[in-house]
Amino acid sequence: MFPTVREVLDLVPMRHGAPRLVAGNAGLDRPVRWVHIAEVPDIATLLGGGELVLTTGIGLPADDAGLREFIGTLADVGASGLVVELGRRYLTGVPRVMAAAAERRGLPLVELRRGTPFVRITEAVHGLIVDAQLTELRATEEIHQRFTDLSVEGAEPAEVLRQAAELAGCPMVLENLSRQVLAYDPAGENAELLLDGWEQHSRQIRPAGRTAYDPGSGWLVTTVGARGQDWGRLLLRWPVAESTPPTRLTILIERAASTLALGRLIRRDAEGLERQIHRTLLTALIDHSRPVDEVALRAKALGVVLDRRHLVGVVVRHRGDEPAAGPGADADPEAGPARLRDLAEAVGQAVRDAKLIALTSAVDDHAVGALLALPDAADEEKALAAFATALRRVRLDAAPSRPPATRTVVAAGSGVGSLREARRSLVEARQIAEAARRDPRDLPCYRLPHVGLAGLLHLLRDEPRLQTFVERELGALLAYDAQHPREQLLGTLRAYLEQGRNKSAGAAAAHLSRPAFYERLARIGRILDADLDSVDRCLSLHVALLALDAIRTP
């Protein structure tokens, strides 16, 4: 914000006086907060620090001890430097004792060998200071406006850091209390070099205070948190090792930290930033929304190494369409998200209990995904078994009386050898989980061979010919149910077919008396113009029902 002594010496009015540095070269980069003209020896009592003192020397002490004391008091008060115009008190140069004292204290001492009006120097320096202050003020206003907009918009941490790095022109990193990177922006630098060995490097950055500059590491750091609960640190790397960051950057990093803390407070799902980053990375792999190399780098910074690992996609979801959650659940719009959050937490805990490394998060409104990173392909089956066992234990401990309707399906895709193939494993796992939702078996982990026809139909769910087949087989019954919502004959047909065309078992499954069930079957036969005692016709209808389930699956 302020010009340095070196910059002041380079101004035209100062150069007009033919300046010569006599002592204190080490202090040339001190900021000049103001310029003060003085002709009295006790001027230090009137200074506040950061002033460049101009004098002709006519009022300075005549003895060596007095000159040493004069230089000492200027250094003690924090003056930026002393400029002495020759010709009135000192003709050829300042006294050696003055120069020696200034050198010892690191105080820049400058001779002006040609007479020059001091007012021109003060005008030039003060003009620089005022311009710098105006520039700083404009920059501060932009910072406040930018981060106010980000707070209102509920911007994600990555966007907050991107804009902060853009304003600062410096790399920025957001980490949690375990020194894991939650978000970063390299500001045009090499991201891999920035994050290499981050945890070890971060633990060596120890600023004194909630917001402070650590000169040893070159990082400006502020604590991130709200309501007395700190959850991370925001760091900005200042590239100029010999100077402290300007006030503007301190304001910027604190406003960015406040925006991050506020965003976490008001985020509806209240999930941790780690979970958000996990979800971002898993979604990026499924949707191809980010380069694979970037996903690998960000995951590594979060402590999940995906490079040179055997990767297995896993998806966990509730059985059935909507798991029961007790009386009144349907009327609660938050019940679904709450169940999904509980399931996501259970999956994360199961990964930790099984001592596995994985990205885990919800992948849609109904399912939670995990990308297991195993050191060897031979560990795949063992790892999946350990995960499934741990998940059952976690969910049983959380709710030992959970009804069967809230049981889960664990599905795993084929293992792959590179991150570029991870999407295939994740998508396959999701398809298997969807296909296994109604499977009566309670397998620890479903794989592709377990889902059979339902899995095939799920893979073909977007195929127009399959959709046409469903309409041809079941369209009339679906239209009838739409007109008679209280009857829902499709459920009756499903119970009959799932019980192997056993009418007694079908009636029990549909919770109907046998006469009522038989009457409904007869009505279904008339609507569909189908013989429900025909094995071939029932097979066709059963395939159409399975296909309808696949098509309707979110």
Side-chain angles (χ1 to χ4, degrees):
M1 178 173 173
F2 299 109
T4 64
V5 176
R6 190 189 307 275
E7 291 169 338
V8 170
L9 293 179
D10 199 42
L11 293 173
V12 173
M14 187 69 82
R15 290 205 309 269
H16 178 76
R20 182 171 75 91
L21 181 68
V22 176
N25 181 72
L28 284 179
D29 289 315
R30 289 181 178 180
V32 177
R33 188 177 59 84
W34 205 245
V35 177
H36 200 94
I37 301 172
E39 299 295 353
V40 293
D42 59 347
I43 185 60
T45 59
L46 305 177
L47 303 180
E51 296 89 353
L52 181 65
V53 179
L54 306 182
T55 183
T56 63
I58 59 175
L60 297 186
D63 59 304
D64 291 352
L67 289 175
R68 291 192 193 96
E69 183 181 359
F70 174 70
I71 294 297
T73 56
L74 288 181
D76 289 341
V77 80
S80 298
L82 175 64
V83 178
V84 181
E85 183 187 69
L86 303 181
R88 298 193 184 189
R89 173 70 182 275
Y90 307 117
L91 299 178
T92 59
V94 298
R96 290 184 179 180
V97 65
M98 182 185 291
E103 185 65 30
R104 281 196 303 272
R105 299 300 300 270
L107 180 73
L109 176 59
V110 179
E111 296 175 342
L112 292 182
R113 292 168 290 171
R114 185 188 304 142
T116 186
F118 283 174
V119 67
R120 293 182 182 174
I121 296 175
T122 59
E123 286 177 344
V125 176
H126 294 167
L128 278 180
I129 293 172
V130 171
D131 287 346
Q133 288 175 331
L134 287 174
T135 300
E136 193 81 357
L137 180 60
R138 294 190 190 99
T140 301
E141 288 177 348
E142 182 180 358
I143 289 169
H144 283 295
Q145 185 60 51
R146 187 82 66 95
F147 287 107
T148 298
D149 292 343
L150 290 172
S151 297
V152 172
E153 295 167 1
E156 293 293 327
E159 178 62 16
V160 174
L161 260 69
R162 185 191 71 78
Q163 297 210 30
E166 178 183 291
L167 289 171
C170 304
M172 299 193 71
V173 176
L174 174 65
E175 64 177 17
N176 62 16
L177 297 179
S178 297
R179 304 300 195 268
Q180 294 176 327
V181 177
L182 302 177
Y184 69 94
D185 192 294
E189 298 187 13
N190 187 301
E192 191 166 357
L193 290 178
L194 176 70
L195 300 178
D196 186 40
W198 175 259
E199 180 179 342
Q200 182 178 2
H201 176 62
S202 173
R203 294 187 184 281
Q204 298 172 7
I205 304 173
R206 299 179 178 179
R210 284 186 68 84
T211 301
Y213 177 62
D214 180 21
S217 63
W219 286 89
L220 176 63
V221 185
T222 190
T223 303
V224 184
R227 296 177 179 174
Q229 296 183 347
D230 298 333
W231 51 264
R233 298 197 306 175
L234 183 60
L235 302 95
L236 180 151
R237 190 172 70 191
W238 177 241
V240 187
E242 62 272 13
S243 67
T244 57
T247 304
R248 172 179 58 85
L249 292 187
T250 300
I251 295 173
L252 182 147
I253 195 172
E254 289 183 338
R255 279 307 312 271
S258 298
T259 302
L260 291 166
L262 180 61
R264 178 158 172 154
L265 283 175
I266 65 177
R267 193 162 284 109
R268 284 185 62 190
D269 289 341
E271 59 183 344
L273 276 179
E274 296 91 338
R275 278 308 118 223
Q276 295 178 39
I277 303 302
H278 277 236
R279 181 164 191 163
T280 297
L281 298 182
L282 273 181
T283 302
L285 288 174
I286 294 172
D287 298 341
H288 291 305
S289 56
R290 293 176 184 267
V292 171
D293 292 341
E294 181 184 342
V295 172
L297 180 61
R298 295 191 67 181
K300 182 179 180 182
L302 201 58
V304 181
V305 179
L306 300 177
D307 286 329
R308 294 186 292 277
R309 294 291 189 274
H310 182 72
L311 306 174
V312 183
V314 176
V315 169
V316 182
R317 65 159 298 149
H318 292 285
R319 290 184 178 273
D321 294 319
E322 284 293 336
D330 292 340
D332 184 2
E334 296 297 322
R339 286 194 298 271
L340 188 64
R341 284 197 300 271
D342 291 344
L343 185 58
E345 291 175 4
V347 169
Q349 185 62 49
V351 167
R352 292 188 290 273
D353 289 352
K355 295 181 172 53
L356 300 172
I357 301 297
L359 290 175
T360 66
S361 83
V363 291
D364 56 38
D365 293 340
H366 304 275
V368 176
L371 182 63
L372 304 184
L374 309 176
D376 196 306
D379 300 330
E380 182 175 315
E381 292 299 330
K382 181 180 178 182
L384 289 173
F387 169 75
T389 300
L391 180 62
R392 288 194 176 214
R393 183 168 55 247
V394 169
R395 286 177 56 75
L396 184 62
D397 291 344
S401 60
R402 181 181 284 111
T406 63
R407 306 297 166 146
T408 55
V409 170
V410 178
S414 304
V416 296
S418 74
L419 190 56
R420 297 187 185 281
E421 300 176 280
R423 179 182 185 275
R424 174 165 58 84
S425 185
L426 286 166
V427 170
E428 182 180 304
R430 184 154 65 177
Q431 292 170 341
I432 294 171
E434 301 291 359
R437 288 184 309 134
R438 298 183 182 280
D439 193 301
R441 296 169 295 177
D442 189 18
L443 301 180
C445 182
Y446 284 83
R447 306 300 295 269
L448 195 57
H450 296 139
V451 294
L453 178 60
L456 173 63
L457 294 173
H458 189 82
L459 293 174
L460 298 174
R461 57 187 290 191
D462 295 323
E463 172 60 49
R465 286 175 292 185
L466 181 65
Q467 297 168 8
T468 301
F469 168 73
V470 171
E471 286 301 312
R472 185 176 67 243
E473 293 294 311
L474 299 175
L477 189 60
L478 293 171
Y480 180 89
D481 280 354
Q483 295 174 357
H484 304 83
R486 292 190 176 184
E487 293 189 45
Q488 293 302 306
L489 296 180
L490 187 71
T492 303
L493 177 62
R494 185 189 301 278
Y496 174 63
L497 296 175
E498 287 182 349
Q499 297 302 318
R501 296 188 302 115
N502 184 316
K503 294 180 181 179
S504 297
H511 305 292
L512 293 170
S513 65
R514 278 187 285 183
F517 189 73
Y518 298 162
E519 191 276 327
R520 284 194 173 202
L521 287 181
R523 198 180 322 155
I524 291 171
R526 291 193 298 271
I527 293 170
L528 295 179
D529 190 21
D531 179 7
L532 297 186
D533 290 325
S534 167
V535 175
D536 290 343
R537 190 71 177 95
C538 286
L539 175 61
S540 182
L541 290 172
H542 201 176
V543 171
L545 271 175
L546 293 175
L548 178 64
D549 291 340
I551 293 169
R552 283 180 170 178
T553 299

